Amino acid sequence: MRAELSTGQRVARARRRLGWDQAQLAAAVERSVSWVSKVETGRLPLDRMSVVGQLAEALDIEVIELTGQPYRHESSELDSGHAAIPGLRLALQQATMPGGALLLGGIEPPSLAEISVRVEAAERLRQDAKFTALGDVLPQILRDLIVACDVADGDDLARAESLMLRASHMARVSSNLLGHHDLGWSAVQRELVAAERAESPALRAAARWDLCGVWLYEGEVAAARDMALRALDDLEPDLSTADESIRSLWGAMHLRAAVAWSRLWDRSEAESHLAEARRIAANLPADGNVFQTQFNAVNAEIHSVEVSLELGHPRDVLSRSEVVDVMHIASGERQSHFWVCTAAGQMMNGKAEAAAESVLRADSVAPQHVRNRPVARNLVDDLRSANRNARTEEIRRLAGHMKLS
C-alpha cells in the first residue's frame, strides 16, 4: 500500500513552490526556522487546525492542500464512505438546480411521514459517523425530498423544507468530514434555500450554524466567526420566547463562535462565548440535539476541550477532559472527537502512551470519523514513531489502515 505524503511534506512542497526557504516561511508565521524544519520533517506534528490554517494562509493555499484530503484507499472495506460521494454529488446537484424536480421524471414521492422516518434513521447513522451506511440511503432521501418540496404547499411546504434542511445537513457533514469541501458548500446552499422557503427563524439559524461549519472546515475562520456573530444578533430578539429550539441554536452558535475565536488565538473571546453556551445548556435537556447540533451540557464541555487545544493550552486540555462525562452524549462522532482532542493534548504534554489509548478509543467508537480526520492522522503518524509502549502494534495497524505506511 503506497504511503501518502505527510502534512509536513506538503508544507515543504508548498513552500518550495513559492520559492521560499525555511527562514522566509518561519518569518511569515512568526515561528523559528527550527520549528519549520521540525514540521516539514515530521518531528513536530500539526495537531491543531488553527496552526494548519495559519500555514495555509501564509503559503496562499487551501487547507486541503496541506491536509491531503480526501483520503482514498484501494479496498472498499477501508474506503470509509467515499464510494457514496458520486451519488451524493448528483443528488445535491439536482437539489440545488432550479427545476431540479423535472430532472427526476415526475416520480411520485413517498409521504412526508414516511420520509421523516427515513431521515430520523439516517440521522442516527450520521451521529455515529457511519458514512458508508449513510451513503447507501441519503441520495435517495434527497431525491424524494426534491420532488416533495416541489409539490408541497402551505404547512406541508414548511415541513418538507425542514426535512430537506436536515437531509442536506447530513450531506454537508459527510462531505466535509470525508474531505469533499466543495460538496459541503452545495449542501449548505440548499439548507439556506430551505430556510428561506419555510420562512422559519429556527431553520435560518440552523442553516447558518452549518454554514459556519463549512467555513471552519475550509479554514475560513474569520468568515465563520463573522457569520456566527451575525446569526447571534439576529437570534437575540427571539430569545424571550419559550421556544427551546431558538435557545438551543443560540447556544450552538456560541460554540461555533468559541471555536472560531480559539483558532484565531483570542482566548478572551473564545472563553466568553463558551461561558454563554454553558449557561444556556444548563437549562436545556441533557440529551438536547436540536437540528442535529447535539447542543447540550456534555457537548459544551467537549467544545471546551477543543477550544483549549486550539489555543495551545495542553494542561487545560487535560484538566477539562477529566470532567467530561462523554459517555452521556448520544453521538459516536462527538465521543470520537473528544478522544482525539484529548489525545492531542496528552501528546503535547508528553504522555504518548495515554495519547495512544485515547486515539485507539476514538477509533473503536467511530473509525470512519477518525480515519478521515487530518489531526487524528497526524497524531497516529507521530505516535507510530514515538517510544514503544503497550499499544505500539495497535497504533501501527491503525497507521496501516490510514495508509500512513
Side-chain angles (χ1 to χ4, degrees), residues 47-51 216 221 251-278 298-321 324 334 337-338 340-342 344-345 348 373:
D47 48 16
R48 292 185 284 157
M49 288 308 297
S50 55
V51 178
L216 287 172
V221 182
M253 205 69 74
H254 275 287
L255 291 180
R256 287 288 199 229
V259 171
W261 280 115
S262 72
R263 292 191 186 180
L264 293 167
W265 297 327
D266 190 320
R267 183 175 189 175
S268 176
E269 288 287 354
E271 293 291 346
S272 174
H273 285 283
L274 187 60
E276 175 62 9
R278 285 167 159 160
V298 175
N299 200 15
E301 295 310 317
I302 291 173
H303 276 76
S304 77
V305 175
E306 179 180 2
V307 162
S308 293
L309 175 65
E310 295 292 359
L311 288 168
H313 298 294
R315 291 184 180 178
D316 289 346
V317 173
L318 298 194
S319 62
R320 285 179 163 181
S321 67
V324 178
R334 288 282 83 199
H337 181 75
F338 164 78
V340 169
C341 290
T342 299
M348 291 165 70
R373 286 198 64 194

Side-chain angles (χ1 to χ4, degrees), residues 148-323:
C149 290
D150 186 62
V151 301
D153 56 19
D155 291 342
D156 280 348
L157 176 61
R159 187 179 177 195
E161 291 292 353
S162 177
L163 289 169
M164 175 61 84
L165 183 142
R166 291 162 62 186
S168 296
H169 163 78
M170 289 185 276
R172 197 282 295 172
V173 170
S174 300
S175 300
N176 279 146
L177 286 173
L178 294 174
H180 300 270
H181 300 314
D182 62 321
L183 193 54
W185 179 251
S186 295
V188 84
Q189 282 182 303
R190 187 59 185 88
E191 291 184 57
L192 291 164
V193 170
E196 293 306 314
R197 293 194 72 201
E199 299 181 343
S200 164
L203 262 64
R204 186 177 299 112
R208 288 175 168 184
W209 174 82
D210 234 18
L211 177 56
C212 291
V214 170
W215 277 329
L216 287 172
Y217 272 105
E218 291 182 348
E220 299 292 344
V221 182
R225 174 203 61 196
D226 293 346
M227 175 50 68
L229 297 180
R230 178 181 172 186
L232 287 168
D233 286 342
D234 290 345
L235 275 172
E236 190 167 13
D238 296 316
L239 278 179
S240 58
T241 71
D243 190 333
E244 189 175 286
S245 294
I246 294 294
R247 286 183 288 132
S248 292
L249 288 164
W250 169 265
M253 205 69 74
H254 275 287
L255 291 180
R256 287 288 199 229
V259 171
W261 280 115
S262 72
R263 292 191 186 180
L264 293 167
W265 297 327
D266 190 320
R267 183 175 189 175
S268 176
E269 288 287 354
E271 293 291 346
S272 174
H273 285 283
L274 187 60
E276 175 62 9
R278 285 167 159 160
R279 184 185 71 81
I280 293 293
N283 296 301
L284 289 172
D287 60 350
N289 187 26
V290 170
F291 288 108
Q292 300 179 71
T293 59
Q294 281 291 339
F295 182 73
N296 50 56
V298 175
N299 200 15
E301 295 310 317
I302 291 173
H303 276 76
S304 77
V305 175
E306 179 180 2
V307 162
S308 293
L309 175 65
E310 295 292 359
L311 288 168
H313 298 294
R315 291 184 180 178
D316 289 346
V317 173
L318 298 194
S319 62
R320 285 179 163 181
S321 67
E322 290 173 356
V323 300

